[in-house]
């Protein structure tokens, strides 16, 4: 199996690469090569197969072709500018999230055999809000440019699949927690921060009420879903290449209880209430829940683990590196 | 009112231009200028305002900017390659239907004030089939590249409206009958042909059973809807810029009865049954009906006239010109 991860230097790309390196196989077949592509060539990693690390722009068709050579079986397309940045810089969002995905489509189409493409769309491509529990055929009515570009990317890869140019699975990822590193400017940054910062011994602010619900998944679960989507039988998907995976709808209060459960009441006490109507207005339009029937019953995407396990997994996987990165 | 019609040399663009020239006003305001833009500069027409006729490619940002000068109040974006062509030539479809719409977006965004943009999406952007009666929030799951590109165009213009770059109404047009001129290679070509050809005294073939239903509207109704969309209050649309207008769901049998009613049984007898499973497979995936509640109740889009009136209108508006064009 020849695999390319576009955006392979990011949060989830890195974790997927590490997992592939550990396993050495994908779907029972040996991995024969891995290409990691990102704006800056990602650092390599020890693996039982050759790892190629390339720097380049996803919106540059030639650079993307070089990252997806003949013989590529699977492309995982994670390269994107995220919500806050796409909202602040409309042209950058179009360039990376739309023209980038077009470049991926054309590079795959140029291959002798159509590769599997796993594309990460987002809960931010839907509207709905706190009371929503979206069915699998729910319409995508994005309230932000990032979400619109993700919905467009899905349409492009879905149509390219119908044409036989490639074979796409478009996973609409929930908000992935706990993101390591530093708080960022994403409106949803607080969802990770209220767990990560206290685990680092730092104070942090909660901009929404404790009964505010978010559709979440863990990075471990996201990687499991990627591995599944990279090899699953796509025949039964038919025209519809979109997957709402079985994340979890959790209130902020429940997340903080899990934090207290795993790390003690002192950790939880580091979260201060600081209502921020601007942030609530943005994240309040995202649907808080999905039925995810199709992903579960028809396609065997695995269930999200508990909130306590998510907190524990961050401690095991990312706490030390985050401390080091932030000089704590 | 400064107006630009992109694709102004086509079937509906031409009819809209003629109507504007007749009225001289739009929404009670005088039209002060009209630009017609198409691949070949469209022929001018007599009008009580200046008419500019430009040739150029909709995918060329500079050409599109020239067609949408400062002071433009309304842009009607009809330029497109249609279903059969976009399916046969994937790159041409992307170039015209996707990059073209991006060029329209950027040209509008560059204006000092955001113009109204009326974009024609299509019933072909939906799936559903003969038993479908789609609600206004139905998901667009296109089964053809043209439909995918229309759904993408909607997402782009919807997001640009949210950003305040322009002010879009995306009308998902039914199959417009009776199209003048010659039969074309569109899978839906027969829906016009079974009425037009007999009215010209010619034989024609019906590839589907008589109980096959199609979601249709007349060119007169399409032009009424355009005029309405060009001036309506878009505030109540909110995020959702898509309009399923109140077309009519009609079986082929009912259309043929209307033909017999208006033009006599001899006209109807010119239609021969010639089942074509390939054509039925394509048009059979398009939804045969929509509720169109939002367009009717909230936004005052007018009702489709009867099938007999549609046949009569073709005789009045287009029969002589079609005869002349085809040397009959
Ligand atoms: N993390 C989440 O909560 C979440 C939720 C929903 C969807 N997603 C999507 O999943 C994917 C991966 O998420 P992540 O959290 O790892 O994101 P990330 O930002 O950590 O990684 C994305 C990578 O893309 C790269 N990139 C950006 N612009 C590029 C360009 N022009 N050329 C090449 N590379 C470029 C970045 O450098 C980055 O390394 C993204 O597409 C994201 O939109 C993530
Ligand atoms: N007629 C229908 O049944 C129907 C149904 C649904 C949607 N629509 C949509 O409504 C719009 C108008 O329909 P129509 O029947 O008048 O179509 P048409 O084909 O008669 O007109 C479209 C015009 O666009 C022009 N065009 C094509 N490529 C171009 C390019 N690269 N640059 C500039 N101009 C270009 C063509 O020359 C043509 O004059 C189209 O966007 C069509 O997709 C039509």
């Amino acid at each position: 199996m020849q695999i390319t991860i576009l955006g392979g230097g990011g949060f989830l790309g890195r974790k997927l690469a590490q997992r592939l390196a550990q396993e050495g196989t994908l779907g029972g077949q040996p991995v024969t090569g891995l290409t990691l592509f990102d704006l800056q060539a990602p650092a390599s990693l020890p693996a039982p197969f050759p790892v190629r690390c390339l720097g380049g722009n996803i919106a540059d068709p030639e650079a993307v072709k070089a990252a997806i050579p003949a013989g590529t079986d699977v492309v995982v397309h994670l390269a994107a500018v995220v919500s806050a940045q796409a909202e602040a810089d409309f042209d950058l969002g179009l360039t990376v999230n739309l023209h980038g995905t077009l470049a991926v489509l054309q590079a795959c189409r140029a291959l002798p055999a159509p590769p599997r493409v796993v594309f990460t769309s987002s809960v931010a491509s839907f509207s709905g809000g706190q009371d929503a529990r979206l069915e699998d055929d729910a319409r995508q009515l994005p309230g932000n440019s990032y979400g619109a570009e993700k919905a467009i990317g899905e349409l492009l890869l879905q149509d390219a699949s119908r044409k036989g140019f490639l074979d796409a699975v478009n996973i609409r990822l929930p908000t992935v927690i706990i993101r390591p590193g530093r708080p960022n400017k994403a409106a949803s940054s607080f969802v990770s921060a209220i767990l990560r910062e206290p685990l680092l011994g730092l104070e942090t602010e909660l901009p929404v009420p404790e009964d505010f619900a978010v559709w979440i998944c863990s990075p471990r679960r996201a990687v499991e879903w990627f591995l599944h989507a990279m090899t699953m039988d796509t025949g039964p998907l038919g025209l519809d290449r979109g997957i709402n995976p079985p994340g979890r709808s959790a209130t902020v209060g429940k997340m903080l209880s899990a934090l207290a459960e795993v790390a003690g009441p002192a950790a939880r006490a580091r979260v201060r209430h600081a209502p921020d109507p601007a942030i609530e207005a943005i994240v309040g339009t995202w649907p808080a829940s999905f039925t995810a029937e199709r992903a579960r019953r028809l396609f065997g995407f695995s269930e999200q683990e508990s909130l306590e396990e998510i907190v524990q997994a961050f401690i095991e996987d990312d706490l030390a590196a985050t401390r080091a990165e932030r000089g704590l």
Side-chain angles (χ1 to χ4, degrees), chain A residues 282-306:
Chain A
I282 300 172
V283 293
T285 67
W286 303 351
S289 187
F290 290 79
T291 62
E293 290 280 322
R294 196 164 172 257
R296 273 193 189 97
R297 303 243 170 117
L298 290 179
F299 297 104
F301 280 81
S302 57
E303 293 292 333
Q304 176 57 52
E305 59 274 23
S306 71

Side-chain angles (χ1 to χ4, degrees), chain A residues 10-12 38-39 56-58 78-80 120-121 146 150 174 176 179:
Chain A
F11 167 32
L12 297 177
D38 208 297
L39 268 180
N57 196 317
I58 194 76
L78 308 175
T120 46
S121 182
Y146 166 80
K150 289 292 188 184
V176 184
R179 192 180 177 92

Side-chain angles (χ1 to χ4, degrees), chain A residues 4-9 35-44 51-68 79:
Chain A
T4 292
I5 306 177
L6 305 167
T35 299
L36 300 177
F37 176 89
D38 208 297
L39 268 180
Q40 310 288 331
S44 193
V51 179
R52 237 176 20 129
C53 298
L54 301 179
N57 196 317
I58 194 76
D60 170 359
E62 292 313 311
V64 176
K65 273 193 186 145
I68 305 178

Side-chain angles (χ1 to χ4, degrees), chain A residues 87-108:
Chain A
E87 203 54 37
D89 187 340
F90 183 78
D91 286 314
L92 179 69
L94 281 184
T95 300
V96 177
N97 297 346
L98 193 163
H99 294 282
T101 301
L102 276 171
V104 175
L105 188 166
Q106 297 290 14
C108 291

Side-chain angles (χ1 to χ4, degrees), chain A residues 1-5 16-17 20-21 23-36 47-52 67-76 111 113-118 167 226-234:
Chain A
M1 293 287 230
Q2 275 276 17
I3 302 170
T4 292
I5 306 177
L16 175 61
L20 290 169
E23 306 273 331
T25 60
L26 176 66
Q29 304 230 49
V31 176
T32 52
L34 174 65
T35 299
L36 300 177
F49 44 74
V51 179
R52 237 176 20 129
I68 305 178
T72 302
D73 300 292
V74 182
V75 176
V76 183
L111 294 184
R116 173 65 46 88
V117 176
V118 177
D167 181 18
F226 294 166
L227 293 171
H228 183 61
M230 287 162 83
T231 55
M232 67 186 252
D233 178 11
T234 53

